[in-house]
């Protein structure tokens, strides 16, 4: 018997999560919540209400939730939803697309979503509530903290340390053996060639601080 799950949030990212769950066939999607209710249905599933309904559904026996929010410029909303779901008591399962390559020696934290074509190499540690987007790569023996978004075609090379709440925009690259501190945004197409020790937005080749 399939376990029930609720998707937290609507939008494009939520649609891909729903697609992945349907392909896996492991969970029964009960419905979707959002910060406001503007429609009765989303992607073929009922909109259950705002996030305020979550405790009620947990009491009814729905024990699983998946964050259906990606990120545009930061991870703030995804962090808020994760913390709220955990406070209620939900389990946040790891969702991995069947086309992703994830080493059996890697460790993946709860609530992490690994999308189509992503690669997680050997002895990688990935924390909680992360998103590895289409075609992204995390190289061997790298460590990724919590609430990190690695956008499409971005590369975390070998032996890197990516701390919590880092946002790597599309096609960005972290060269091997580097550390990126918490609260950092790496702009699209940028290449990080040295440690980043100050939070802020970095852009360019090589990536340089443009705003704190």
């Amino acid at each position: 018997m399939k376990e029930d799950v609720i998707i937290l949030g609507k939008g494009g990212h939520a649609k891909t999560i729903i697609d992945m769950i349907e392909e896996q066939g492991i969970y029964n999607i009960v419905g979707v919540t959002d910060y406001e209710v503007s429609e009765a249905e989303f992607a073929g599933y009922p909109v259950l209400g705002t996030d305020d309904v979550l405790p009620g559904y947990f009491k009814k026996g729905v024990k699983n939730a998946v964050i259906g929010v990606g990120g545009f410029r930061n991870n703030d909303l995804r962090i808020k939803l994760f913390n709220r779901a955990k406070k209620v008591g939900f389990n946040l399962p790891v969702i991995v697309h069947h086309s992703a390559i994830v080493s059996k020696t890697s460790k993946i934290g709860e609530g992490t979503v690994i999308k189509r074509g992503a690669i997680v190499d050997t002895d990688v540690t990935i924390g909680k509530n992360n998103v590895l987007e289409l075609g992204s790569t995390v190289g061997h023996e790298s460590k990724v903290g919590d609430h990190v978004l690695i956008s499409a075609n971005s590369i975390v090379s070998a032996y890197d340390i990516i701390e919590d709440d880092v946002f790597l925009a599309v096609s960005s690259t972290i060269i091997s053996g580097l550390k990126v501190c918490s609260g950092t945004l790496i702009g699209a197409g940028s290449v990080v060639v040295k440690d980043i020790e100050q939070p802020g937005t970095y852009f360019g080749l090589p990536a340089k601080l443009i705003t704190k």
Side-chain angles (χ1 to χ4, degrees):
M1 185 175 178
K2 296 180 182 179
E3 295 184 36
D4 289 336
V5 67
I6 291 177
I7 310 299
L8 311 186
K10 300 184 300 183
H13 182 74
K15 289 179 180 179
T16 64
I17 296 294
I18 289 170
D19 193 46
M20 290 168 65
I21 290 174
E22 289 177 339
E23 286 184 15
Q24 283 184 325
I26 298 173
Y27 296 101
N28 172 57
I29 300 174
V30 174
V32 180
T33 63
D34 203 15
Y35 67 94
E36 61 180 17
V37 178
S38 57
E39 54 192 347
E41 187 178 280
F42 175 79
Y45 295 95
V47 176
L48 305 173
T50 68
D51 299 325
D52 292 335
V53 305
L54 293 175
Y57 277 91
F58 185 80
K59 290 178 181 178
K60 292 178 183 178
V62 182
K63 302 302 181 184
N64 300 293
V66 176
I67 309 301
V69 173
F72 179 57
R73 287 194 174 93
N74 60 59
N75 301 300
D76 294 350
L77 181 54
R78 207 169 72 255
I79 293 171
K80 180 180 178 180
L81 288 172
F82 180 87
N83 290 336
R84 183 161 194 176
K86 291 302 296 180
K87 185 176 181 180
V88 173
F90 282 104
N91 170 57
L92 286 96
V94 174
I95 305 295
V96 181
H97 192 266
H98 63 79
S99 68
I101 299 172
V102 180
S103 170
K104 64 182 180 181
T105 62
S106 63
K107 297 178 181 179
I108 312 296
E110 66 176 328
T112 289
V113 173
I114 301 177
K115 291 190 179 181
R116 293 172 172 83
I119 298 174
V120 179
D121 208 351
T122 53
D123 293 323
V124 165
T125 301
I126 293 178
K128 303 173 184 177
N129 192 32
N130 294 315
V131 177
L132 276 65
E133 281 286 356
L134 310 175
S136 59
T137 300
V138 180
H140 60 85
E141 285 131 307
S142 286
K143 296 181 179 180
V144 178
D146 300 334
H147 316 299
V148 172
L149 192 146
I150 302 176
S151 295
N153 298 316
S154 293
I155 299 173
V156 174
S157 301
Y159 304 107
D160 286 329
I161 298 174
I162 310 298
E163 294 188 337
D164 298 344
D165 188 17
V166 169
F167 191 108
L168 304 182
V170 174
S171 298
S172 55
T173 300
I174 314 298
I175 298 300
S176 294
L178 300 182
K179 179 178 179 180
V180 178
C181 73
S182 298
T184 296
L185 186 154
I186 306 299
S190 299
V191 179
V192 176
V193 299
K194 61 181 181 179
D195 289 346
I196 292 182
E197 299 176 344
Q198 179 180 1
T201 299
Y202 292 75
F203 185 79
L205 201 176
K208 296 181 179 179
L209 179 66
I210 58 171
T211 58
K212 297 181 180 179

